[in-house]
Amino acid sequence: MPATDLPLLIDAALEAGRIATRYSGRTAQRWDKPEGAGPVTEADLAVNAMLETRLPGARPGYGWLSEETEDSTDRLACERVFIVDPIDGTRSFAEGSRTWAHSLAVAQGGIVTAAVIYLPQRDLLYAAATGQGATLNGEPIKVSQKATLAEAEILAAKPNLDPRHWRQGSAPDFARAYRPSLAYRMALVGQGRFDGMLTLRPSWEWDIAAGDLILREALGRCTDRTGQPLRFNNPHPRLNGIVAAGTRVHQQLSDALDPAGTGIPGTAKT
């Protein structure tokens, strides 16, 4: 099914881009979600409505998990599930920036098998299906194979450098950069533009699912902050942080991180 699911996701992502770009981010109606869950705009809702009609309509037996749809336990009984973020980087969209993405994935048995990340205003379409490699605008991509963390440029928000996250009580030396869309950060690592990315806070599945497969098919490694492989369609759809990079840089990041979050040498749980 990945071979047939991927064209479906690509077509849906392109249509999502056509819908979202009809809106001006700064003038689009915007609301704040309850409990500090972040903003949502009328563009998010319009894209979600299209995707929720189009994708399950084409695959009636698949479950549905989206940031902009109230979650249902019905998806847990499904072997395959769509995992969707209609607009990843809503704050960036609302500010009028071009750095936001549509993130669409299919997971089967907890493993992502088809994925698309599309940035319509940057004309970037990343795609992958199991066993078929990863592409950017149809051309194959691979992760960077930097040998050492000291040489690496890592996409990470500044709070990830907090000493409590690291075994030695401080972050190791690496160059840090940032992009507002989590899906885009993962795609950039898959492309080899950056050498790794990490986010150490709990992360929603819809932000991560598409990037996980794109990275793995680009010959990178993607795990949670403790080094465990990622599994999707969980009852509570959050993951324990993300570490993604080429194999050598990933190993060095994992060795430096404190899974317990204590930042005290010798106290990390392994």
Side-chain angles (χ1 to χ4, degrees), residues 138-225:
E139 296 298 321
I141 56 174
K142 291 185 179 179
V143 296
S144 157
Q145 292 297 336
K146 285 280 177 67
T148 68
L149 187 53
E151 302 175 82
E153 188 171 17
I154 306 296
L155 287 162
K158 193 171 182 180
N160 292 292
L161 304 184
D162 190 299
R164 65 190 173 88
H165 294 306
W166 304 93
R167 289 180 186 270
Q168 298 303 317
S170 63
D173 289 331
F174 55 76
R176 186 183 71 85
Y178 181 73
R179 297 292 184 276
S181 163
L182 188 51
Y184 186 35
R185 283 178 246 167
M186 298 180 78
L188 285 167
V189 177
Q191 183 185 351
R193 283 274 309 279
F194 293 87
D195 305 301
M197 63 78 61
L198 62 107
T199 182
L200 302 177
R201 58 179 176 78
S203 301
W204 294 106
E205 289 187 14
W206 47 73
D207 292 328
I208 302 301
D212 169 59
L213 181 65
I214 289 167
L215 270 156
R216 290 189 287 108
E217 287 292 320
L219 305 182
R221 190 168 179 218
C222 193
T223 67
D224 72 12
R225 64 175 292 161

Side-chain angles (χ1 to χ4, degrees), residues 51-128:
L51 294 173
E52 193 168 5
T53 298
R54 184 167 185 161
L55 294 177
R59 300 286 188 272
Y62 288 26
W64 180 257
L65 175 63
S66 167
E67 180 175 11
E68 306 306 344
T69 303
E70 185 175 356
D71 194 14
S72 166
T73 57
D74 291 350
R75 63 181 171 81
L76 301 176
C78 298
E79 175 65 12
R80 297 183 180 91
V81 59
F82 291 109
I83 303 176
V84 169
D85 192 343
I87 297 180
D88 183 50
T90 295
R91 285 188 179 87
S92 178
F93 175 86
E95 290 166 1
S97 167
R98 299 185 301 147
T99 308
W100 47 270
H102 308 296
S103 180
L104 286 64
V106 172
Q108 179 178 354
I111 306 297
V112 180
T113 57
V116 172
I117 294 171
Y118 178 43
L119 285 80
Q121 293 196 332
R122 292 183 177 271
D123 192 28
L124 300 171
L125 192 148
Y126 301 85

